[in-house]
């Protein structure tokens, strides 16, 4: 990207962020995540505490010059912010956001907008060791889970995962036209899946006349830019993500047993 293509060097940090994101080639959803991360570091450069929780996504960053990245105290301010956020932020999230700032700083420096790199001595936080995999849910735990007053979508997903033994990613990638409901299996040409009575009872209710598009849908309409393959042509809603499915399972199962994961529904099969 030439200096002519990006215009004059920006004065404000926020403008530099937008220039970087515009040249990144990222999809809109990814640019939004990167923008939140880069705005968070702006609070550290301004020597102010960053908003947390939902407020962090909506907060406008402080207005400050990009030249603050060349201030002698910039590296120390960022180092203090990393240490402060490490107390209540998942190491993987913190490292990802630190990597985002480092990549932006390299790009800005390559364009001559800043002289130094205050992120050079900031090191990733050590990731926690993965916990030992939990075993499959017992029959009593499964009975309690399936007796919950959970939405149809969740109950169908849980039954299908348990009865088919399929990978979570495989189940979430299903489209309604992949299903052979009378034979309780997937149609030829798709990943082979078979299910039993519990799933067979719920699937027709979930499909409800849909003949194409994702089987498991989000609660809201798909954002702009969602690929057609991941959008329901009837409702406009998006395909349910692994992350959201896992969050919902944790929320519902947490009322009867702490620490359960979706993988425990198919463990040992």
């Amino acid at each position: 990207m030439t200096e002519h293509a990006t215009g004059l060097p920006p004065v404000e940090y926020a403008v530099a962020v937008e220039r970087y994101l515009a040249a990144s080639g990222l999809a809109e959803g990814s640019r939004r995540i990167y923008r939140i991360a880069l705005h968070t570091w702006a609070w550290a450069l301004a020597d102010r505490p960053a908003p947390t929780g939902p407020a962090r996504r909506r907060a406008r960053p402080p207005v400050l010059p990009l030249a603050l990245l060349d201030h002698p105290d910039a590296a120390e301010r960022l180092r203090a912010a990393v240490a402060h956020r490490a107390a209540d932020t998942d190491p993987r999230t913190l490292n990802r956001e630190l990597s985002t700032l480092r990549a932006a700083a390299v790009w800005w420096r390559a364009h001559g907008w800043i002289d130094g790199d205050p992120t050079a001595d900031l090191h990733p936080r050590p990731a926690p060791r993965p916990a030992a995999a939990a075993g499959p849910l017992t029959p009593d735990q499964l009975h309690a889970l399936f007796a919950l007053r959970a939405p149809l979508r969740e109950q169908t997903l849980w039954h299908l995962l348990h009865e088919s033994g399929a990978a979570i990613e495989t189940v979430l990638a299903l489209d309604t036209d992949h299903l052979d409901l009378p034979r309780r299996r997937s149609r030829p040409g798709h990943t082979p899946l078979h299910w039993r009575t519990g799933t067979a009872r719920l699937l027709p209710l979930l499909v409800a006349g849909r003949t194409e598009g994702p089987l498991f849908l989000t609660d809201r309409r798909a954002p702009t830019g969602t690929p057609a393959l991941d959008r329901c042509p009837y409702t406009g809603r998006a395909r349910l993500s692994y992350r959201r499915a896992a969050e919902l399972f944790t929320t519902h199962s947490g009322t009867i047993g702490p620490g359960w994961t979706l993988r425990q529904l198919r463990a040992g099969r």
Side-chain angles (χ1 to χ4, degrees):
M1 177 77 62
T2 65
E3 195 62 34
H4 175 74
T6 57
L8 296 174
V11 174
E12 292 186 17
Y13 176 89
V15 175
V17 166
E18 294 306 317
R19 296 270 191 91
Y20 168 67
L21 295 177
S24 67
L26 295 168
E28 177 55 36
S30 297
R31 289 202 300 270
R32 177 176 55 82
I33 294 172
Y34 277 50
R35 183 179 295 111
I36 292 170
L38 292 169
H39 284 178
T40 297
W41 296 118
W43 296 89
L45 292 168
D47 202 20
R48 295 165 59 185
T52 58
R56 187 168 81 103
R57 296 190 293 270
R58 298 190 299 267
R60 286 182 172 274
V63 177
L64 70 163
L66 181 64
L68 267 183
L69 287 169
D70 284 326
H71 192 279
D73 293 339
E76 182 56 36
R77 291 182 184 183
L78 291 173
R79 192 176 298 110
V82 170
H84 177 76
R85 295 194 63 215
D88 56 7
T89 304
D90 175 74
R92 295 181 183 85
T93 299
L94 182 55
N95 289 342
R96 183 176 64 249
E97 294 184 351
L98 184 57
S99 176
T100 299
L101 176 62
R102 184 177 290 116
V106 168
W107 194 85
W108 293 331
R109 188 179 183 187
H111 284 71
W113 296 354
I114 57 176
D115 295 325
D117 182 2
T119 72
D121 295 328
L122 299 179
H123 302 293
R125 313 296 293 188
R129 293 184 177 181
L137 300 182
T138 66
D140 286 343
Q141 289 171 331
L142 286 169
H143 183 272
L145 178 70
F146 294 150
L148 287 175
R149 296 179 63 84
L152 173 63
R153 178 188 60 192
E154 276 64 69
Q155 282 285 3
T156 307
L157 175 62
W158 303 343
H159 277 81
L160 183 53
L161 285 172
H162 176 64
E163 294 183 1
S164 70
I168 302 164
E169 297 85 350
T170 298
V171 170
L172 292 175
L174 284 171
D175 290 344
T176 56
D177 59 348
H178 295 177
L179 308 177
D180 186 340
L181 295 179
R183 293 180 175 83
R184 301 184 182 182
R185 68 185 188 189
S186 55
R187 295 183 184 278
H190 303 287
T191 303
L193 290 179
H194 295 81
W195 53 84
R196 300 196 298 271
T197 304
T199 304
R201 173 175 53 86
L202 297 170
L203 270 177
L205 301 175
L206 182 69
V207 171
R210 291 184 288 132
T211 59
E212 59 181 317
L215 175 60
F216 294 102
L217 301 172
T218 56
D219 295 320
R220 299 180 179 178
R221 293 183 63 84
T224 302
T226 300
L229 290 175
D230 292 325
R231 183 192 298 112
C232 174
Y234 301 96
T235 66
R237 292 184 286 164
R239 186 184 304 276
L240 184 66
S241 70
Y242 185 121
R243 178 179 178 180
R244 183 57 178 156
E247 289 174 348
L248 290 167
F249 184 73
T250 299
T251 299
H252 288 292
S253 65
T255 63
I256 53 177
W260 293 355
T261 68
L262 283 172
R263 295 195 183 280
Q264 288 178 267
L265 285 172
R266 61 182 296 265
R269 296 191 60 81

